[in-house]
């Protein structure tokens, strides 16, 4: 193995020295992530402490992703690009793209874990459209259509109003009693 490295140009040797341990670390990190042994404990928090960002920029995981893209791009294009400054610039750009791709991938994976189950509590203070006329003074049931978390639901509704609420009216959900929405006309 050392004979392989001895005959290499210093830049190519540097790319290989970055690529091999980074690839091994990435493989181990990926395996640990998928079996649930790795979480945020492998990340190095950013100095800013700003938790409103969609993800942390300065993390060990992002460093590994950058180095992976950087080193393998350098190795792959070393013999094709004669100007080594351009090669390094392209390697840096690909490393940054790897960070972006990883962010997009993780964002999509996290969406799979979202709890999109319907809960009546999520309807309170939302607006809905009357589907079937709602009788006045809780004297009977009508129906409304409401969109909650991107899904449209047709639910039973009552009103405390002295006037019935006709089909097509827009209402606000003020409360939930059992599985019946209490609404008022807007």
């Amino acid at each position: 193995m050392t004979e392989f490295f001895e005959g290499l140009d210093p830049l190519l040797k540097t790319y290989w020295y970055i690529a091999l341990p980074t690839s091994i670390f990435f493989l181990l990190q990926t395996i640990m992530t998928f079996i649930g042994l790795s979480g945020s404990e492998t990340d190095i928090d950013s100095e800013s402490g700003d938790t409103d960002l969609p993800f942390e920029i300065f993390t060990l995981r992002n460093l590994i992703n950058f180095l992976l893209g950087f080193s393998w791009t350098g190795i792959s294009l070393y013999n094709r690009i004669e100007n080594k400054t351009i090669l390094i610039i392209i390697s840096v750009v690909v490393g940054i793209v790897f960070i972006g791709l990883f962010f997009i991938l993780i964002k999509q994976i996290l969406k799979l874990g979202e709890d999109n189950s319907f809960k009546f509590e999520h309807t309170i203070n939302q607006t809905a459209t009357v589907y079937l006329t709602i009788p006045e003074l809780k004297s009977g049931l009508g129906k409304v259509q409401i969109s909650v978390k991107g899904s449209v639901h047709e639910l039973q509704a009552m009103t405390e109003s002295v006037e019935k609420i006709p089909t097509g009216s827009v209402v606000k959900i003020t409360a939930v009693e059992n599985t019946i929405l209490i609404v008022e006309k807007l």
Side-chain angles (χ1 to χ4, degrees), residues 72-86:
W72 284 109
T73 299
I75 291 168
S76 301
L77 300 178
Y78 186 81
N79 291 325
R80 293 194 177 130
I81 299 176
E82 290 182 31
N83 186 332
K84 300 312 173 197
T85 303
I86 292 174

Side-chain angles (χ1 to χ4, degrees), residues 7-94:
L8 296 178
D9 179 67
L11 180 60
L12 185 57
K13 191 184 295 187
T14 302
Y15 278 128
W16 275 107
Y17 281 139
I18 294 171
L20 293 176
T22 301
S23 297
I24 291 169
F25 191 84
F26 177 79
L27 183 64
L28 291 172
Q29 188 179 44
T30 302
I31 291 169
M32 288 176 15
T33 298
F34 282 116
I35 62 174
L37 295 176
S38 177
S40 60
E41 67 270 4
T42 61
D43 290 345
I44 300 170
D45 292 335
S46 68
E47 296 291 323
S48 68
D50 184 4
T51 57
D52 292 339
L53 292 173
F55 75 114
E56 296 289 330
I57 294 173
F58 300 107
T59 64
L60 180 59
R61 188 176 305 268
N62 284 344
L63 176 65
I64 295 300
N65 292 328
F66 172 80
L67 291 175
L68 200 61
F70 172 81
S71 61
W72 284 109
T73 299
I75 291 168
S76 301
L77 300 178
Y78 186 81
N79 291 325
R80 293 194 177 130
I81 299 176
E82 290 182 31
N83 186 332
K84 300 312 173 197
T85 303
I86 292 174
L87 175 65
I88 292 170
I89 291 170
I90 291 171
S91 297
V92 168
V93 169
V94 171

Side-chain angles (χ1 to χ4, degrees), residues 145-179:
Q145 284 185 332
I146 183 169
S147 177
V148 178
K149 292 189 174 186
S151 179
V152 177
H153 300 271
E154 188 177 292
L155 304 170
Q156 293 181 327
M158 295 179 127
T159 185
E160 296 172 337
S161 173
V162 294
E163 295 180 14
K164 68 180 180 179
I165 304 175
T167 300
S169 299
V170 177
V171 294
K172 179 180 178 182
I173 291 85
T174 58
V176 177
E177 292 180 6
N178 296 320
T179 59

